[in-house]
Amino acid sequence: MEMTGPFDLVVVPRVQALPAIRRDLLGLDRLELRQALIDVGIPEKQAKMRVTQIWQWIYHRGVTDFQLMLNIAKDVRLTLSEHFIIGRPEVVTAQISEDGTRKWLLRTVDGNDYEMVFIPDADRGTLCVSSQIGCTLACRFCYTGTMKLVRNLTPDEIVGQIMLARDALGEWPSATEGRLLTNIVMMGMGEPLYNFDNVKKALHILMDEEGIQMSRRRITLSTSGVVPLMTKAGYEIGVNLAVSLHAVRKDIRDEIVPLNKKYGIEELLQACADYPTANNARRITFEYVMLKNKNDSDADAHELVRLIKKYKIPGKVNLIPFNPWPGSAYECSDWGRIETFSDIIFQSGISAPIRTPRGRDIMAACGQLKSASEKISVAEIARRQAAKEAVQL
Ligand code: SAH
Ligand code: SF4
């Protein structure tokens, strides 16, 4: 994609032309790490202790050089550096918006590009993390949805985004107080529940008590509504849930979120009601993109309230002004309309703040992420969307 705005190139160790024998330790869970150490000749009796030491260096201190792991004997450090690396995604470009939002274009070892966004606020800093390169779901209002799925991101590529952001923010060693990066949202490119195992593994590494120690209350997973995996996500990952609802009428949701043809609105709301960790203190967020004359009427707002109440969901609504992108087919609702929509929901006792668009000038806002891993024309976008929908029917 065309890059605009000032550039802020972050210098990080690059993972280029890796010798095949040097394996990346980032993204391995403790069991895999233990096995990896044993496989290169570290005695089994030592392995448990070495895992604890290495884990702390990687995830508590952010160290990428084995020679700095001073509580590990020199000969073991040498063995480690002969066989392993502690990688980071390659930074292709890094940009800063006039509102302080930062966007990185990252490249995988096999040459695919994906994006990550950091949104600083007065009281928090949120990292918007990608789970896939592209997406299979083709939501009509989303730029990522115009890409085909290139591939799932691996645990090291997901964890690597947080590691890289912390490198750039100078957040090592990991402290629990005074952090700049306080929240993680799985709201970058891709549908996290369609990359379940890798997302689960990565989030458990990030929540580990001896590492980065992200609280599950500060991580939010956003899904477009993959109903069969939502309860499983609640039990096995346990982070906050956001659901991209976007419409309350079947015909409209079918059009803008084609997955609705597979898992309908009522089914989706039932899955929200069943979500294991949802309670009044940890509400489910319903994301609702405001599209002019499409889903933004008073009747839509009333129906949204009725549905949330019908299913007794401890929920709040996040109204997202539509962020345009080249070739997008929709317009953002007028500001007055969004305010009226929000008021109707608030008056029913449900919170419905309007999300301030961030980073629009560098195409970093919700739904504006796309990489050039596959560049296609607008005509091709329409053709592929039609083809994908035909498959989903
Ligand atoms: N695939 C997941 C998470 C990534 S999208 C999902 O769909 O939930 C993160 C949020 O941005 C979703 O709510 C998505 O619907 C919304 N979004 C997508 N395109 C947008 C656009 N152009 N303007 C505003 N929000 C958008
Ligand atoms: Fe995929 Fe989410 Fe975009 Fe839909 S909104 S196309 S699910 S990334």
Side-chain angles (χ1 to χ4, degrees):
M1 74 188 291
E2 195 176 307
M3 308 300 285
T4 54
F7 286 83
D8 158 46
L9 287 169
V10 181
V11 181
V12 291
R14 302 233 157 163
V15 191
Q16 279 173 346
L18 281 183
I21 47 164
R22 290 216 294 162
R23 182 172 177 197
D24 194 347
L25 294 185
L26 205 67
L28 300 189
D29 63 26
R30 283 169 191 270
L31 275 179
E32 290 168 330
L33 180 55
R34 182 172 184 275
Q35 194 55 51
L37 299 182
I38 292 169
D39 290 348
V40 299
I42 292 183
E44 282 204 44
K45 270 197 264 169
Q46 269 187 34
K48 192 169 176 228
M49 172 186 74
R50 297 296 179 214
V51 166
T52 306
Q53 290 171 325
I54 295 168
W55 191 273
Q56 286 181 352
W57 283 112
I58 298 178
Y59 295 111
H60 183 65
R61 303 228 156 236
V63 162
T64 53
D65 179 353
F66 293 105
Q67 297 319 315
L68 299 175
M69 300 184 175
L70 292 176
N71 57 354
I72 297 178
K74 220 172 173 182
D75 58 326
V76 179
R77 296 198 315 247
L78 197 66
T79 306
L80 293 173
S81 50
E82 274 168 13
H83 294 279
F84 303 120
I85 57 154
I86 301 159
R88 292 291 190 265
E90 180 188 346
V91 177
V92 182
T93 52
Q95 295 171 270
I96 304 188
S97 154
E98 52 200 28
D99 68 20
T101 300
R102 299 168 74 154
K103 180 172 88 168
W104 288 263
L105 180 67
L106 306 176
R107 182 160 296 162
T108 63
V109 177
D110 61 349
N112 286 306
D113 294 350
Y114 59 109
E115 296 188 313
M116 138 182 128
V117 176
F118 179 69
I119 309 139
D121 275 304
D123 58 341
R124 61 166 69 184
T126 305
L127 192 69
C128 181
V129 171
S130 290
S131 57
Q132 297 183 309
I133 300 174
C135 190
T136 52
L137 291 175
C139 300
R140 274 274 164 82
F141 47 82
C142 173
Y143 203 20
T144 309
T146 65
M147 292 175 75
K148 275 209 291 200
L149 177 68
V150 178
R151 70 167 171 80
N152 282 335
L153 289 172
T154 53
D156 62 296
E157 290 161 348
I158 299 170
V159 171
Q161 294 175 64
I162 291 86
M163 303 299 274
L164 192 71
R166 296 187 66 131
D167 292 347
L169 296 168
E171 297 241 84
W172 303 114
S174 187
T176 39
E177 301 281 305
R179 290 184 177 184
L180 294 172
L181 197 175
T182 58
N183 292 58
I184 291 173
V185 291
M186 297 303 299
M187 293 187 187
M189 293 164 66
E191 167 52 56
L193 293 187
Y194 278 154
N195 186 14
F196 192 95
D197 292 343
N198 291 349
V199 166
K200 173 181 163 183
K201 195 177 198 189
L203 293 182
H204 279 293
I205 290 172
L206 297 171
M207 293 189 282
D208 189 282
E209 297 271 298
E210 282 171 33
I212 295 176
Q213 288 180 284
M214 283 297 304
S215 158
R216 63 187 61 227
R217 287 161 211 281
R218 290 186 172 271
I219 302 178
T220 301
L221 185 150
S222 176
T223 178
S224 54
V226 184
V227 167
L229 293 175
M230 285 167 57
T231 307
K232 183 174 154 77
Y235 283 118
E236 296 182 17
I237 309 177
V239 297
N240 300 327
L241 183 70
V243 171
S244 294
L245 189 61
H246 303 316
V248 289
R249 278 173 40 194
K250 176 170 165 50
D251 57 335
I252 305 292
R253 195 162 192 271
D254 278 354
E255 174 192 326
I256 66 179
V257 183
L259 185 66
N260 194 62
K261 292 175 203 157
K262 213 166 174 181
Y263 310 116
I265 294 173
E266 305 263 341
E267 230 182 312
L268 175 57
L269 293 173
Q270 187 58 54
C272 292
D274 296 340
Y275 191 71
T277 64
N279 56 43
N280 283 337
R282 291 183 72 193
R283 292 170 181 278
I284 291 177
T285 304
F286 291 105
E287 293 159 289
Y288 199 98
V289 63
M290 298 302 296
L291 304 173
K292 192 173 194 166
N293 298 331
K294 189 49 79 179
N295 62 357
D296 62 352
S297 70
D298 287 0
D300 289 321
H302 288 296
E303 177 62 1
L304 181 54
V305 169
R306 189 188 71 79
L307 286 169
I308 294 174
K309 294 203 164 167
K310 175 180 169 192
Y311 285 90
K312 300 189 175 64
I313 300 167
K316 58 183 181 213
V317 179
N318 220 322
L319 300 176
I320 316 175
F322 170 66
N323 295 305
W325 39 268
S328 56
Y330 300 108
E331 268 181 78
C332 183
S333 309
D334 297 332
W335 197 253
R337 181 91 297 270
I338 302 178
E339 283 182 332
T340 307
F341 199 95
S342 167
D343 288 346
I344 292 173
I345 302 169
F346 265 117
Q347 276 156 19
S348 79
I350 297 170
S351 163
I354 304 168
R355 191 185 287 175
T356 315
R358 298 289 303 269
R360 272 185 175 174
D361 56 328
I362 56 165
M363 289 288 288
C366 296
Q368 292 187 314
L369 303 185
K370 178 179 165 144
S371 74
S373 273
E374 201 218 19
K375 266 191 181 146
I376 48 177
S377 67
V378 173
E380 179 67 351
I381 291 168
R383 193 192 65 74
R384 287 190 182 168
Q385 274 183 339
K388 276 191 208 176
E389 278 165 32
V391 170
Q392 281 162 1
L393 279 175

